[in-house]
Amino acid sequence: QKEVEQDPGPLSVPEGAIVSLNCTYSNSAFQYFMWYRQYSRKGPELLMYTYSSGNKEDGRFTAQVDKSSKYISLFIRDSQPSDSATYLCAMISNAGKSTFGDGTTLTVKP
Amino acid sequence: EAGVAQSPRYKIIEKRQSVAFWCNPISGHATLYWYQQILGQGPKLLIQFQNNGVVDDSQLPKDRFSAERLKGVDSTLKIQPAKLEDSAVYLCASSLRQGQGNEQFFGPGTRLTVL
């Protein structure tokens, strides 16, 4: 069993929809939680970073962490065609090691 | 600020050949990472350097993969001999420091195809 499991997708939504992307994890040593966006043939870029349970908002993006359930989510409001990409969750352990999910591919249709 | 540079962007080789990838991190970043990203999967950490010392290479297939970071700046990752299953994108990333709270900046990757 993988340490980080991510909803596989693919996900296709109409423009303006609210998107929910989810990951679960099994390692209690994970302390820091991130969401990356990866466009085709590009490297991942960091979208959101948080270390505590609760919500963190940045523009149209909200990251949610529930450490008791070992579950994290990324919500995208008013989704745009430019949001079409693969979204990767990633976690850093207290030893500083990063582990990524396998990504969810999102397509936002105009 | 210049980003992480990688070369080549694409490489096609036959199995059992050798190949090398180069990475130039963001200036001043002490920590450098090499990841392997197989199609449809997330990046898997191969090796992590802090300056020119290895912090974690637990997932590096040491019988065929090697990496070095001379002078704590540029890094090279080598595969010798390559296998079909090494076909992947090899991503280099850097951060100011290692561990929690330090954003990793990724390069564009090198796409390797082994025939």
Side-chain angles (χ1 to χ4, degrees):
Chain A
Q1 183 183 5
K2 292 183 178 181
E3 287 186 300
V4 178
E5 298 278 359
Q6 184 167 359
D7 289 352
L11 200 56
S12 180
V13 301
E15 183 175 353
I18 296 174
V19 176
S20 172
L21 303 165
N22 307 295
C23 287
T24 58
Y25 63 97
S26 57
N27 188 347
S28 297
F30 289 139
Q31 297 295 320
Y32 296 82
F33 307 92
M34 295 155 291
W35 286 95
Y36 284 84
R37 178 175 60 196
Q38 186 173 25
Y39 290 115
S40 180
R41 300 186 181 274
K42 301 284 187 182
E45 57 177 331
L46 184 68
L47 276 178
M48 300 284 287
Y49 182 101
T50 184
Y51 59 88
S52 58
S53 284
N55 293 350
K56 180 179 181 179
E57 190 173 316
D58 183 3
R60 297 184 296 110
F61 298 91
T62 300
Q64 187 176 81
V65 174
D66 183 345
K67 287 188 176 181
S68 62
S69 301
K70 295 188 176 66
Y71 188 91
I72 70 170
S73 298
L74 178 71
F75 298 96
I76 307 174
R77 291 184 299 280
D78 187 25
S79 56
Q80 302 295 310
S82 57
D83 295 328
S84 297
T86 296
Y87 290 80
L88 298 158
C89 64
M91 306 181 188
I92 301 179
S93 71
N94 49 17
K97 183 174 178 178
S98 301
T99 303
F100 283 77
D102 285 339
T104 301
T105 298
L106 170 68
T107 301
V108 181
K109 296 183 177 180
Chain B
E1 178 183 77
V4 176
Q6 290 188 247
S7 68
R9 291 295 312 277
Y10 304 92
K11 190 74 178 178
I12 300 174
I13 61 172
E14 295 189 350
K15 60 183 179 183
R16 291 188 289 274
Q17 286 187 323
S18 62
V19 65
F21 313 126
W22 173 82
C23 173
N24 180 237
I26 293 173
S27 177
H29 280 196
T31 310
L32 186 146
Y33 314 77
W34 282 103
Y35 290 88
Q36 179 193 58
Q37 187 174 23
I38 292 172
L39 186 65
Q41 297 181 19
K44 182 183 83 171
L45 180 68
L46 293 175
I47 189 166
Q48 178 179 336
F49 291 94
Q50 178 69 16
N51 296 309
N52 59 352
V54 176
V55 173
D56 183 352
D57 63 357
S58 57
Q59 298 191 94
L60 186 74
K62 298 179 186 64
D63 57 334
R64 297 185 302 105
F65 286 64
S66 64
E68 61 181 7
R69 190 183 184 198
L70 298 176
K71 300 180 182 179
V73 182
D74 293 6
S75 178
T76 55
L77 176 69
K78 296 180 181 178
I79 307 175
Q80 181 179 14
K83 292 185 175 181
L84 297 177
E85 58 261 35
D86 298 332
S87 294
V89 175
Y90 290 85
L91 294 163
C92 179
S94 70
S95 64
L96 273 175
R97 296 176 297 276
Q98 67 176 345
Q100 305 91 330
N102 288 291
E103 179 180 356
Q104 293 182 34
F105 293 85
F106 283 83
T110 296
R111 184 175 298 272
L112 173 67
T113 301
V114 182
L115 302 175

